[in-house]
Amino acid sequence: MNDKAETMPGGKALLDRQDERVKHEEGFAGSVKAFWSQVRSGDLGSLPVVVGLVIIWTVFQLLNPVFLSSNNLANLLFDSSTIGVISLGIVCVLMVAQIDLSVGSVSGLASAITGVLWVESGWPVWLAILAALAVGTLIGALYALLFNSLGMPSFVSTLAGLLAFLGAQLYLLGSNGSINLPYDSPLVSFGQLLTMPDWVSYGLAALAGIGLFVTGYRTAARRREAGLSAESLASLLAKAVVVIAAVEFVVFYLNQSRGVPWLFGLFIALVLAMNYALQRTKWGRSMRAVGGNPEAARRAGIPVKRIYLSAFMLCSTLAALGGILGAARLASASQQAGTGDVNLNAIAAAVIGGTSLFGGRGNAYSALLGIIVIESIASGLTLLNLSSSLRYMITGAVLAIAVIVDSLSRRSRVSHGRA
Amino acid sequence: MPDVLPHANPAGELVLALRGISKNFGAVSALTHIDLDVHAGEVVALVGDNGAGKSTLVKVLAGVHQPSSGTIEFAGKPVKLTSPSTALDLGIATVFQDLALCENLDVVANIFLGREKDPMRLDEVGMEIRAWQLLNELSARIPSVREPVASLSGGQRQTVAIARSLLLEPKVILLDEPTAALGVAQTAEVLDLIERVRERGLGVVMISHNMEDVRAVADRIVVLRLGRNNGVFTPDSTNQDLVSAITGASDNSVSRRAGRRAASTPAQENHP
């Protein structure tokens, strides 16, 4: 705590530190304190999921020492990437307080389209992928049309889509039921085998921390110049060092066996791009505004219908991409693709990661964190040879807990005036 | 009914002119043949009882509702306010009664909502500086512009909403109950602000139930009653005249009877 107002060189109080009633935490210890008070008032951010992840990993590691082995973690990252991409789309629709229940079916349909066009009709693989993605985009546009023009709740329209597109997938695959993708093709290698060379993975990990530091330093410099309070150099450096050390350690551990999958690299790249779009662009700001208060957004001149359109289209397109990657991962486009728990896992991951079901609150990283939780549970239970009946029940319970945490923290935010 | 007074304070040119505006919601006529003039550099107060159509009129001007009939002229040209952004682009800024803030966004984001600097790479520092400037102009007491609006008090939210309306340097500002939620000092600040805005040559339309505030700043007082024009007053007209125009007390059976008697005998008593 700091009693006297922080001052500029000229002796004038900083532009954003002139109100003496407000406590501002300074320095590194201050940041920790501020974070703690934020958590106590219900603004939990990623804290519950990180705590949850530590518990899950500890329990499974105690039950089966293979769980935290480098090889198993690399597999886990392969598995996480496909559904993680779908979950990233769910973050988009949840942000505008809508839902898409058909992402599983859309991903299955996309894998079927890729398989049929590429393997059966002999199209070039890239063209088949583009066609599948385009179908995904069109499906999203259809949902947006139903929602914007006819006022059909997305819950219902996407529930209808869940059945309809599952039907389309079964129709496309015909009586055979599945199409095997060529094992030696680049797409399947990408989905199953390809990992980064060591130097690339170490380099990217270092780049993450350096990038964090440089952008943080630039912002701080601009703020100081403009007479606003700014983060201290020490705190920036500490953050960057922690990030580099943590990521380099993970990379080092993964490089002990298979290394970091390129597939996971693609997923991370999409997460970072989505994070940038949601945090630093006008579009992202509009998404949050529409999710928080659509009427206020409309009166501020935001094209609310176009924002809904973009959210639905992005979600279905990412679902299609996830389906294609899933087909590459399994080397087949089958009737089972996208069915079962894919839908629920993708939605659960976004919610577990901290994106609110009530709209306007969340970030792209929640897809990453959430899917790692979900896949850790799946992987751990598989290692214990538990049947899928138990797996479903446990994953369902975890989702319920995540939603309870979301609702409780929302209530706490309201009572602390931070909703 | 009271006579329509001539323009008390011949201000600048006519910025906004409404002619015969009507708005129906199904069978309900919220507005019927409303005429309203706003000149540059004048404050027009819009008063009326609950359900008189004040807020509906403001929403028509803000582009939220489209009028069922009638014309709107802005700077001499007929315009159609089809959406809030058309109204904003023309230079009609609105502070709504419900403020229309996004509670999940912080103060800076709310002030710049829909008008962000650098759409592809938000200029957060630039926006934060401008936000502080606007808030300081209003002598606002906002602890932090990086807190979600949900954490602010009613008065602070009002200030944020007014700061937002000033961002675009509008020609006309519509204020729907700007002082209803404010403390004594903040009310004075807002009234000062309204006068400062007028001196800059902007037209101000202000809705208020508080006759004291209305008299303090308004150049003309336009009374609405049951969705119709019910007279234009100067701030020095008597309270009784205003109240009877607002409540329609002068247009009841008693006053009509008095009016009939006045027609036959010159001596008139006008006690409702």
Side-chain angles (χ1 to χ4, degrees), chain B residues 59-144:
Chain B
K59 283 180 181 163
V60 166
L61 288 173
V64 174
H65 292 325
Q66 274 64 56
S68 310
S69 64
T71 55
I72 301 173
E73 282 182 24
F74 189 81
K77 286 182 206 120
V79 289
K80 286 234 175 300
L81 303 173
T82 47
S83 74
S85 48
T86 0
L88 279 173
D89 291 340
L90 278 174
I92 304 176
T94 311
V95 179
F96 294 99
Q97 192 171 5
D98 59 5
L99 302 184
L101 298 171
C102 286
E103 302 218 331
N104 56 329
L105 299 181
D106 65 21
V107 174
V108 178
N110 266 293
I111 287 180
F112 280 86
L113 196 60
R115 293 284 178 271
E116 289 86 355
K117 292 182 179 179
D118 296 346
M120 293 312 291
R121 193 170 189 280
L122 295 184
D123 178 8
E124 292 288 355
V125 178
M127 291 197 289
E128 188 167 337
I129 294 167
R130 184 84 184 95
W132 278 117
Q133 284 170 350
L134 286 168
L135 292 170
N136 288 346
E137 271 176 40
L138 297 176
S139 318
R141 309 269 289 169
I142 303 279
S144 164

Coordinates of all heavy atoms in Angstrom, one line a residue, chain B residues 59-144:
Chain B
K59 N -35.6 8.6 -28.1 CA -35.1 7.4 -28.9 C -35.3 7.5 -30.4 O -34.5 7.0 -31.2 CB -35.9 6.1 -28.3 CG -35.3 5.7 -27.0 CD -35.9 4.5 -26.4 CE -35.3 4.1 -25.1 NZ -36.1 3.2 -24.3
V60 N -36.4 8.3 -30.8 CA -36.5 8.6 -32.2 C -35.3 9.4 -32.7 O -34.8 9.1 -33.8 CB -37.9 9.3 -32.4 CG1 -37.9 9.9 -33.8 CG2 -39.0 8.3 -32.3
L61 N -35.0 10.4 -31.9 CA -33.9 11.3 -32.3 C -32.5 10.5 -32.3 O -31.6 10.9 -33.1 CB -33.8 12.5 -31.4 CG -34.9 13.5 -31.6 CD1 -34.8 14.6 -30.6 CD2 -34.8 14.1 -33.0
A62 N -32.4 9.5 -31.5 CA -31.2 8.8 -31.4 C -31.1 7.7 -32.4 O -30.1 7.0 -32.5 CB -31.0 8.2 -30.0
G63 N -32.2 7.5 -33.2 CA -32.2 6.5 -34.2 C -32.5 5.1 -33.7 O -32.4 4.1 -34.4
V64 N -32.9 5.0 -32.4 CA -33.3 3.7 -31.8 C -34.7 3.3 -32.3 O -34.8 2.1 -32.7 CB -33.3 3.8 -30.3 CG1 -33.8 2.5 -29.7 CG2 -31.8 4.1 -29.8
H65 N -35.6 4.2 -32.3 CA -36.9 3.9 -32.9 C -37.1 4.7 -34.2 O -36.6 5.8 -34.3 CB -38.1 4.4 -31.9 CG -38.1 3.6 -30.7 ND1 -37.9 2.2 -30.6 CD2 -38.5 3.9 -29.4 CE1 -38.0 1.8 -29.4 NE2 -38.4 2.8 -28.6
Q66 N -37.8 4.2 -35.2 CA -38.1 4.9 -36.4 C -39.5 5.5 -36.2 O -40.4 4.8 -35.8 CB -38.0 4.0 -37.6 CG -36.6 3.9 -38.2 CD -35.6 3.2 -37.2 OE1 -35.9 2.1 -36.8 NE2 -34.6 3.9 -36.8
P67 N -39.7 6.8 -36.5 CA -41.0 7.3 -36.4 C -42.0 6.7 -37.4 O -41.6 6.3 -38.5 CB -40.8 8.8 -36.7 CG -39.5 8.9 -37.5 CD -38.7 7.7 -37.0
S68 N -43.3 6.6 -37.0 CA -44.3 6.1 -37.9 C -44.6 7.1 -39.0 O -44.9 6.7 -40.1 CB -45.6 5.7 -37.1 OG -45.3 5.0 -36.0
S69 N -44.6 8.4 -38.7 CA -44.8 9.4 -39.7 C -44.1 10.7 -39.3 O -43.7 10.8 -38.1 CB -46.2 9.6 -40.0 OG -46.8 10.1 -38.9
G70 N -44.0 11.6 -40.2 CA -43.3 12.9 -39.9 C -41.9 13.0 -40.5 O -41.4 12.0 -40.9
T71 N -41.4 14.2 -40.4 CA -40.1 14.4 -41.0 C -39.1 15.0 -39.9 O -39.5 15.7 -39.0 CB -40.1 15.4 -42.2 OG1 -40.7 16.6 -41.7 CG2 -40.9 14.8 -43.3
I72 N -37.8 14.7 -40.1 CA -36.8 15.2 -39.3 C -35.8 16.0 -40.2 O -35.4 15.4 -41.2 CB -36.0 14.1 -38.5 CG1 -37.0 13.3 -37.6 CG2 -34.9 14.7 -37.7 CD1 -36.4 12.1 -37.0
E73 N -35.5 17.2 -39.9 CA -34.5 17.9 -40.6 C -33.3 18.2 -39.7 O -33.5 18.7 -38.6 CB -35.1 19.3 -41.1 CG -36.0 19.1 -42.3 CD -36.5 20.5 -42.8 OE1 -35.8 21.5 -42.5 OE2 -37.6 20.5 -43.4
F74 N -32.2 17.9 -40.3 CA -30.9 18.2 -39.5 C -30.1 19.2 -40.4 O -29.8 18.9 -41.5 CB -30.2 16.9 -39.3 CG -29.0 17.1 -38.3 CD1 -29.2 17.2 -37.0 CD2 -27.7 17.2 -38.8 CE1 -28.1 17.4 -36.1 CE2 -26.6 17.4 -38.0 CZ -26.9 17.5 -36.6
A75 N -29.7 20.3 -39.8 CA -29.0 21.4 -40.5 C -29.6 21.7 -41.9 O -29.0 21.8 -42.9 CB -27.5 20.9 -40.7
G76 N -31.0 21.8 -41.9 CA -31.7 22.2 -43.0 C -32.0 21.1 -44.0 O -32.8 21.3 -45.0
K77 N -31.4 19.9 -43.8 CA -31.7 18.8 -44.8 C -32.5 17.8 -44.2 O -32.3 17.4 -43.0 CB -30.4 18.2 -45.3 CG -29.6 19.1 -46.2 CD -28.3 18.4 -46.7 CE -27.3 19.5 -47.1 NZ -26.1 19.4 -46.3
P78 N -33.5 17.2 -44.9 CA -34.3 16.1 -44.3 C -33.4 14.9 -44.2 O -32.6 14.6 -45.1 CB -35.4 15.9 -45.4 CG -34.9 16.6 -46.6 CD -34.0 17.6 -46.2
V79 N -33.5 14.2 -43.0 CA -32.7 13.0 -42.8 C -33.6 11.9 -42.3 O -34.7 12.1 -41.8 CB -31.6 13.3 -41.7 CG1 -30.5 14.2 -42.3 CG2 -32.2 13.9 -40.5
K80 N -33.1 10.7 -42.5 CA -33.7 9.5 -41.9 C -32.8 8.9 -40.9 O -31.7 8.5 -41.3 CB -34.0 8.5 -43.0 CG -35.1 8.9 -43.9 CD -36.2 7.7 -44.0 CE -37.4 8.1 -44.8 NZ -38.1 9.3 -44.3
L81 N -33.2 8.8 -39.7 CA -32.3 8.3 -38.6 C -32.6 6.8 -38.5 O -33.4 6.4 -37.7 CB -32.5 9.0 -37.3 CG -32.3 10.5 -37.4 CD1 -32.7 11.2 -36.1 CD2 -30.9 10.8 -37.7
T82 N -32.0 6.0 -39.4 CA -32.4 4.6 -39.5 C -31.7 3.8 -38.4 O -32.2 2.7 -38.1 CB -32.0 4.0 -40.8 OG1 -30.7 4.4 -41.1 CG2 -33.0 4.6 -41.9
S83 N -30.6 4.2 -37.9 CA -29.9 3.4 -36.8 C -29.2 4.4 -35.9 O -28.9 5.5 -36.3 CB -28.9 2.5 -37.5 OG -27.8 3.2 -38.0
P84 N -28.8 3.9 -34.7 CA -28.0 4.7 -33.8 C -26.8 5.3 -34.5 O -26.4 6.4 -34.2 CB -27.7 3.8 -32.7 CG -28.8 2.8 -32.7 CD -29.1 2.6 -34.1
S85 N -26.1 4.5 -35.3 CA -24.9 5.0 -35.9 C -25.1 6.1 -36.9 O -24.3 7.0 -37.0 CB -24.1 3.9 -36.5 OG -24.9 3.1 -37.4
T86 N -26.2 6.1 -37.6 CA -26.5 7.3 -38.5 C -26.7 8.5 -37.7 O -26.1 9.6 -38.0 CB -27.9 7.1 -39.3 OG1 -28.5 5.9 -38.9 CG2 -27.7 7.2 -40.7
A87 N -27.4 8.4 -36.6 CA -27.6 9.6 -35.7 C -26.2 10.1 -35.2 O -25.9 11.3 -35.2 CB -28.5 9.3 -34.6
L88 N -25.4 9.1 -34.7 CA -24.1 9.5 -34.2 C -23.2 10.2 -35.3 O -22.6 11.2 -35.0 CB -23.4 8.3 -33.7 CG -23.7 7.8 -32.3 CD1 -23.1 6.5 -32.0 CD2 -23.3 8.8 -31.3
D89 N -23.3 9.6 -36.5 CA -22.5 10.1 -37.6 C -22.9 11.6 -37.9 O -22.1 12.4 -38.3 CB -22.5 9.2 -38.8 CG -21.8 7.9 -38.5 OD1 -21.0 7.9 -37.6 OD2 -22.1 6.9 -39.2
L90 N -24.2 11.8 -37.9 CA -24.7 13.2 -38.2 C -24.2 14.2 -37.1 O -24.0 15.3 -37.4 CB -26.2 13.2 -38.2 CG -26.9 12.7 -39.5 CD1 -28.4 12.7 -39.2 CD2 -26.6 13.7 -40.6
G91 N -24.1 13.7 -35.9 CA -23.7 14.6 -34.8 C -24.8 14.7 -33.8 O -24.9 15.8 -33.1
I92 N -25.6 13.7 -33.6 CA -26.6 13.7 -32.5 C -26.1 12.7 -31.5 O -26.2 11.5 -31.8 CB -28.0 13.3 -33.1 CG1 -28.4 14.3 -34.2 CG2 -29.0 13.4 -31.9 CD1 -29.7 13.9 -34.8
A93 N -25.7 13.1 -30.4 CA -25.2 12.2 -29.3 C -26.3 12.1 -28.3 O -27.0 13.1 -28.0 CB -23.9 12.7 -28.7
T94 N -26.4 10.9 -27.7 CA -27.5 10.7 -26.7 C -26.9 10.1 -25.4 O -26.1 9.2 -25.5 CB -28.5 9.7 -27.3 OG1 -28.9 10.2 -28.6 CG2 -29.8 9.7 -26.4
V95 N -27.4 10.6 -24.3 CA -27.2 9.9 -23.0 C -28.5 9.3 -22.6 O -29.4 10.1 -22.3 CB -26.6 10.9 -22.0 CG1 -26.4 10.1 -20.7 CG2 -25.3 11.5 -22.4
F96 N -28.7 8.0 -22.7 CA -30.0 7.4 -22.4 C -30.2 7.4 -20.9 O -29.3 7.4 -20.1 CB -30.0 6.0 -22.9 CG -30.0 6.0 -24.4 CD1 -28.8 5.7 -25.1 CD2 -31.1 6.2 -25.2 CE1 -28.7 5.7 -26.5 CE2 -31.0 6.2 -26.6 CZ -29.9 5.9 -27.2
Q97 N -31.5 7.3 -20.6 CA -31.9 7.2 -19.2 C -31.3 6.0 -18.5 O -30.8 6.1 -17.4 CB -33.4 7.1 -19.1 CG -33.9 7.4 -17.7 CD -35.4 7.5 -17.7 OE1 -36.1 7.4 -18.7 NE2 -36.0 7.8 -16.5
D98 N -31.3 4.9 -19.2 CA -30.7 3.6 -18.6 C -29.2 3.6 -19.0 O -28.5 2.6 -18.7 CB -31.4 2.4 -19.1 CG -31.3 2.3 -20.7 OD1 -30.7 3.1 -21.3 OD2 -31.9 1.3 -21.2
L99 N -28.6 4.7 -19.5 CA -27.2 4.9 -19.7 C -26.6 4.0 -20.8 O -25.6 4.4 -21.4 CB -26.4 4.7 -18.4 CG -26.8 5.6 -17.3 CD1 -25.8 5.4 -16.1 CD2 -26.8 7.1 -17.7
A100 N -27.1 2.8 -21.0 CA -26.7 2.0 -22.1 C -25.1 1.7 -22.0 O -24.4 1.9 -23.0 CB -27.0 2.5 -23.5
L101 N -24.7 1.4 -20.8 CA -23.3 1.0 -20.7 C -23.1 -0.5 -20.6 O -24.1 -1.2 -20.2 CB -22.7 1.6 -19.4 CG -22.7 3.1 -19.3 CD1 -22.4 3.6 -17.8 CD2 -21.8 3.8 -20.3
C102 N -22.0 -1.0 -21.0 CA -21.7 -2.4 -20.9 C -21.0 -2.7 -19.6 O -19.8 -2.3 -19.4 CB -20.8 -2.9 -22.1 SG -21.7 -3.0 -23.6
E103 N -21.7 -3.3 -18.7 CA -21.1 -3.4 -17.3 C -19.9 -4.3 -17.3 O -19.1 -4.2 -16.3 CB -22.2 -4.0 -16.4 CG -23.5 -3.2 -16.4 CD -24.1 -3.1 -15.0 OE1 -23.9 -4.1 -14.2 OE2 -24.7 -2.1 -14.7
N104 N -19.7 -5.2 -18.2 CA -18.5 -6.0 -18.2 C -17.3 -5.4 -18.7 O -16.2 -5.9 -18.6 CB -18.8 -7.4 -18.9 CG -19.2 -7.1 -20.4 OD1 -19.9 -6.1 -20.7 ND2 -18.9 -8.0 -21.2
L105 N -17.5 -4.2 -19.4 CA -16.3 -3.5 -19.9 C -15.8 -2.4 -19.0 O -16.6 -1.9 -18.2 CB -16.6 -3.0 -21.3 CG -17.1 -4.0 -22.4 CD1 -17.3 -3.2 -23.7 CD2 -16.0 -5.0 -22.6
D106 N -14.6 -2.0 -19.1 CA -14.1 -1.0 -18.3 C -14.5 0.4 -18.8 O -15.1 0.5 -19.9 CB -12.6 -1.1 -18.1 CG -11.8 -0.9 -19.4 OD1 -12.3 -0.2 -20.3 OD2 -10.6 -1.3 -19.4
V107 N -14.1 1.5 -18.1 CA -14.6 2.8 -18.4 C -14.1 3.2 -19.8 O -14.9 3.8 -20.6 CB -14.1 3.8 -17.3 CG1 -14.5 5.2 -17.7 CG2 -14.8 3.4 -16.0
V108 N -12.8 3.0 -20.1 CA -12.3 3.4 -21.3 C -13.0 2.7 -22.5 O -13.4 3.3 -23.5 CB -10.8 3.0 -21.4 CG1 -10.2 3.4 -22.8 CG2 -10.0 3.7 -20.3
A109 N -13.2 1.4 -22.3 CA -13.9 0.7 -23.4 C -15.3 1.2 -23.6 O -15.8 1.3 -24.7 CB -13.9 -0.8 -23.0
N110 N -16.0 1.6 -22.5 CA -17.3 2.1 -22.7 C -17.4 3.4 -23.3 O -18.2 3.7 -24.2 CB -18.0 2.2 -21.3 CG -18.8 0.9 -21.0 OD1 -19.8 0.7 -21.6 ND2 -18.3 0.1 -20.0
I111 N -16.4 4.3 -23.0 CA -16.4 5.6 -23.6 C -16.1 5.5 -25.1 O -16.7 6.2 -25.9 CB -15.3 6.5 -22.9 CG1 -15.8 6.9 -21.5 CG2 -15.1 7.8 -23.7 CD1 -14.9 7.8 -20.7
F112 N -15.3 4.6 -25.5 CA -14.9 4.5 -26.9 C -15.7 3.4 -27.6 O -15.4 3.1 -28.8 CB -13.4 4.2 -27.0 CG -12.6 5.4 -26.9 CD1 -12.2 5.9 -25.6 CD2 -12.2 6.2 -28.0 CE1 -11.4 7.0 -25.5 CE2 -11.4 7.3 -27.8 CZ -11.1 7.8 -26.6
L113 N -16.7 2.9 -27.0 CA -17.4 1.8 -27.6 C -18.0 2.1 -29.0 O -18.7 3.1 -29.1 CB -18.6 1.3 -26.7 CG -19.2 -0.1 -27.0 CD1 -18.1 -1.1 -26.9 CD2 -20.3 -0.4 -26.1
G114 N -17.6 1.3 -30.0 CA -18.1 1.6 -31.3 C -17.2 2.7 -32.0 O -17.4 3.0 -33.2
R115 N -16.3 3.3 -31.3 CA -15.5 4.4 -31.9 C -14.1 4.3 -31.5 O -13.4 5.2 -31.3 CB -16.0 5.8 -31.3 CG -17.4 6.2 -31.7 CD -17.4 6.7 -33.2 NE -18.7 7.0 -33.7 CZ -19.6 6.2 -34.2 NH1 -19.2 4.9 -34.4 NH2 -20.7 6.6 -34.6
E116 N -13.6 3.0 -31.4 CA -12.3 2.8 -31.0 C -11.2 3.3 -31.9 O -11.4 3.4 -33.1 CB -12.0 1.3 -30.8 CG -12.7 0.6 -29.7 CD -14.2 0.2 -30.0 OE1 -14.6 0.5 -31.1 OE2 -14.8 -0.4 -29.1
K117 N -10.1 3.8 -31.4 CA -9.0 4.2 -32.2 C -8.2 3.0 -32.7 O -8.0 2.0 -32.0 CB -8.0 5.1 -31.4 CG -8.5 6.4 -30.9 CD -7.4 7.1 -30.2 CE -8.0 8.5 -29.7 NZ -6.9 9.2 -29.0
D118 N -7.8 3.0 -34.0 CA -7.1 1.9 -34.6 C -7.8 0.6 -34.5 O -7.4 -0.2 -33.6 CB -5.6 1.8 -34.0 CG -4.8 3.1 -34.2 OD1 -5.3 3.9 -35.1 OD2 -3.8 3.2 -33.6
P119 N -8.7 0.3 -35.3 CA -9.5 -0.9 -35.2 C -8.7 -2.2 -35.2 O -9.1 -3.1 -34.5 CB -10.4 -0.9 -36.4 CG -10.4 0.5 -36.9 CD -9.2 1.1 -36.5
M120 N -7.6 -2.2 -35.9 CA -6.9 -3.5 -35.9 C -5.8 -3.6 -34.8 O -5.2 -4.7 -34.7 CB -6.2 -3.7 -37.3 CG -7.2 -3.9 -38.4 SD -8.5 -5.1 -38.1 CE -7.5 -6.6 -38.0
R121 N -5.6 -2.5 -34.1 CA -4.5 -2.6 -33.1 C -4.9 -1.5 -32.1 O -4.4 -0.4 -32.2 CB -3.1 -2.3 -33.7 CG -2.0 -2.7 -32.7 CD -0.7 -2.6 -33.5 NE 0.4 -3.2 -32.7 CZ 1.0 -2.4 -31.7 NH1 0.7 -1.2 -31.6 NH2 1.9 -3.0 -31.0
L122 N -5.8 -1.8 -31.2 CA -6.4 -0.7 -30.4 C -5.4 0.1 -29.7 O -4.4 -0.5 -29.1 CB -7.3 -1.4 -29.3 CG -8.6 -2.1 -29.8 CD1 -9.4 -2.6 -28.7 CD2 -9.4 -1.2 -30.7
D123 N -5.5 1.4 -29.7 CA -4.6 2.3 -29.1 C -5.0 2.5 -27.7 O -5.7 3.5 -27.4 CB -4.5 3.6 -29.9 CG -3.6 4.6 -29.3 OD1 -2.9 4.3 -28.3 OD2 -3.6 5.8 -29.7
E124 N -4.7 1.6 -26.8 CA -5.2 1.6 -25.4 C -4.7 2.8 -24.7 O -5.4 3.5 -23.9 CB -4.9 0.3 -24.7 CG -5.5 -0.9 -25.2 CD -7.0 -1.0 -24.8 OE1 -7.5 -0.1 -24.1 OE2 -7.7 -1.9 -25.2
V125 N -3.4 3.2 -24.9 CA -2.9 4.3 -24.1 C -3.5 5.6 -24.6 O -4.0 6.4 -23.8 CB -1.3 4.4 -24.4 CG1 -0.7 5.6 -23.6 CG2 -0.7 3.1 -23.9
G126 N -3.6 5.8 -25.9 CA -4.3 7.0 -26.4 C -5.7 7.1 -25.9 O -6.2 8.2 -25.6
M127 N -6.4 6.0 -25.9 CA -7.8 6.0 -25.5 C -7.9 6.4 -24.0 O -8.8 7.1 -23.6 CB -8.5 4.7 -25.8 CG -8.7 4.5 -27.3 SD -9.9 3.2 -27.7 CE -9.1 1.7 -27.2
E128 N -7.0 5.8 -23.2 CA -7.0 6.0 -21.8 C -6.8 7.5 -21.5 O -7.4 8.1 -20.6 CB -6.0 5.2 -21.0 CG -6.2 5.2 -19.5 CD -5.4 4.1 -18.8 OE1 -5.1 3.1 -19.4 OE2 -5.1 4.4 -17.6
I129 N -5.8 8.1 -22.2 CA -5.5 9.5 -22.0 C -6.7 10.4 -22.3 O -7.1 11.2 -21.5 CB -4.3 10.0 -22.9 CG1 -3.1 9.2 -22.4 CG2 -4.1 11.5 -22.8 CD1 -1.9 9.4 -23.4
R130 N -7.3 10.1 -23.5 CA -8.5 10.9 -23.9 C -9.6 10.7 -22.9 O -10.4 11.7 -22.5 CB -8.9 10.4 -25.3 CG -10.1 11.2 -25.9 CD -9.6 12.5 -26.5 NE -10.8 13.3 -27.0 CZ -11.3 14.3 -26.3 NH1 -10.8 14.6 -25.2 NH2 -12.3 15.0 -26.8
A131 N -9.8 9.5 -22.4 CA -10.8 9.2 -21.4 C -10.6 10.1 -20.1 O -11.5 10.7 -19.6 CB -10.8 7.7 -21.0
W132 N -9.4 10.1 -19.7 CA -9.1 10.9 -18.5 C -9.3 12.4 -18.8 O -9.9 13.1 -17.9 CB -7.6 10.7 -18.0 CG -7.4 9.5 -17.2 CD1 -6.7 8.4 -17.5 CD2 -8.0 9.3 -15.9 NE1 -6.7 7.5 -16.5 CE2 -7.5 8.0 -15.5 CE3 -8.9 10.0 -15.1 CZ2 -7.9 7.4 -14.3 CZ3 -9.2 9.4 -13.8 CH2 -8.8 8.1 -13.5
Q133 N -9.0 12.9 -20.0 CA -9.2 14.3 -20.3 C -10.7 14.6 -20.2 O -11.1 15.6 -19.6 CB -8.7 14.6 -21.7 CG -7.2 14.7 -21.8 CD -6.8 14.8 -23.3 OE1 -7.5 14.5 -24.2 NE2 -5.5 15.1 -23.5
L134 N -11.5 13.7 -20.9 CA -13.0 14.0 -20.9 C -13.5 13.9 -19.5 O -14.3 14.8 -19.1 CB -13.7 12.9 -21.7 CG -13.6 13.0 -23.2 CD1 -14.0 11.7 -23.9 CD2 -14.4 14.1 -23.7
L135 N -13.1 13.0 -18.7 CA -13.6 12.9 -17.3 C -13.1 14.0 -16.5 O -13.9 14.6 -15.6 CB -13.1 11.5 -16.7 CG -13.7 10.3 -17.3 CD1 -13.0 9.0 -16.8 CD2 -15.2 10.2 -17.0
N136 N -11.9 14.5 -16.7 CA -11.4 15.7 -15.9 C -12.2 16.9 -16.3 O -12.4 17.8 -15.4 CB -9.9 15.9 -16.1 CG -9.1 14.8 -15.4 OD1 -9.7 14.1 -14.6 ND2 -7.8 14.6 -15.7
E137 N -12.5 17.1 -17.6 CA -13.4 18.2 -18.0 C -14.7 18.2 -17.2 O -15.2 19.3 -16.9 CB -13.7 18.1 -19.5 CG -12.7 18.8 -20.4 CD -13.0 18.5 -21.9 OE1 -14.3 18.6 -22.2 OE2 -12.1 18.2 -22.7
L138 N -15.2 17.0 -16.9 CA -16.4 17.0 -16.2 C -16.2 17.0 -14.7 O -17.1 16.8 -13.9 CB -17.1 15.7 -16.5 CG -17.6 15.5 -17.9 CD1 -18.2 14.1 -18.1 CD2 -18.6 16.5 -18.3
S139 N -14.9 17.2 -14.3 CA -14.5 17.1 -12.9 C -15.0 15.8 -12.3 O -15.6 15.8 -11.2 CB -15.0 18.3 -12.1 OG -14.9 19.5 -12.8
A140 N -14.9 14.7 -13.0 CA -15.4 13.5 -12.5 C -14.6 12.9 -11.4 O -13.4 13.2 -11.3 CB -15.5 12.5 -13.7
R141 N -15.2 12.1 -10.6 CA -14.5 11.4 -9.5 C -14.6 9.9 -9.8 O -15.4 9.2 -9.2 CB -15.2 11.7 -8.2 CG -15.4 13.2 -7.9 CD -14.2 13.8 -7.2 NE -14.2 13.3 -5.8 CZ -13.2 13.6 -5.0 NH1 -12.1 14.2 -5.5 NH2 -13.2 13.2 -3.8
I142 N -13.8 9.5 -10.8 CA -13.8 8.1 -11.1 C -12.5 7.5 -10.6 O -11.4 8.0 -11.0 CB -13.8 7.9 -12.7 CG1 -15.0 8.6 -13.2 CG2 -13.7 6.4 -13.0 CD1 -16.3 7.8 -13.2
P143 N -12.5 6.5 -9.7 CA -11.3 6.0 -9.1 C -10.3 5.4 -10.2 O -9.1 5.7 -10.1 CB -11.7 5.0 -8.1 CG -13.1 4.7 -8.4 CD -13.7 5.9 -9.2
S144 N -10.8 4.6 -11.1 CA -9.9 4.0 -12.1 C -10.7 3.7 -13.3 O -11.8 3.3 -13.3 CB -9.4 2.7 -11.5 OG -8.8 1.9 -12.6

